[in-house]
Amino acid sequence: MKKFALIFIHLAFAVVLFGVACTSNTPNAKLKGSWKSKDGATKLKITDKGFTMDDGEAIAEDYFVKGDTIFTSFEGNKPYTAFLIQKLDEHNLKLMGPDSVAVEYSR
């Protein structure tokens, strides 16, 4: 009976750890999608693997999110371009670009 309880506890702990590991990317789910700036001049499309900002010439870049900052790079080249997420919810996004200008987007 002691072996059964010990195995059950370990199995339950493994299931909890696996569940936490699989749901760690959920905050980025709000970020993905098509966005349009409030003034209509810029369109932003964020997918699983691409960050495309269309303000005349659309160039898809690789990106990753660390904390509240989006780091983009064209074909893995460094240095990264950083965009600070100032506000993010289901319908609104406010990004501060590398030139310290904040742009508001909506879906």
Side-chain angles (χ1 to χ4, degrees):
M1 193 63 164
K2 288 182 183 180
K3 287 183 181 180
F4 176 73
L6 191 58
I7 291 172
F8 180 75
I9 289 171
H10 281 87
L11 202 60
F13 188 68
V15 168
V16 169
L17 284 177
F18 184 73
V20 170
C22 289
T23 60
S24 63
N25 291 332
T26 54
N28 295 341
K30 288 183 185 178
L31 194 59
K32 295 175 187 158
S34 297
W35 299 90
K36 185 176 181 182
S37 64
K38 297 277 181 163
D39 61 359
T42 306
K43 294 177 185 171
L44 177 64
K45 185 174 182 181
I46 302 173
T47 61
D48 287 334
K49 300 191 182 222
F51 181 94
T52 307
M53 188 174 287
D54 185 5
D55 53 356
E57 184 178 335
I59 299 173
E61 299 182 17
D62 299 327
Y63 79 98
F64 63 94
V65 179
K66 190 170 189 179
D68 61 350
T69 307
I70 302 170
F71 294 96
T72 66
S73 69
F74 182 69
E75 297 179 352
N77 294 331
K78 292 182 182 177
Y80 297 113
T81 305
F83 294 90
L84 180 67
I85 301 171
Q86 293 184 331
K87 178 183 175 185
L88 175 62
D89 60 27
E90 297 295 326
H91 302 287
N92 297 306
L93 170 66
K94 187 174 182 181
L95 287 179
M96 181 170 291
D99 54 355
S100 298
V101 174
V103 180
E104 293 187 37
Y105 296 92
S106 63
R107 291 194 195 247

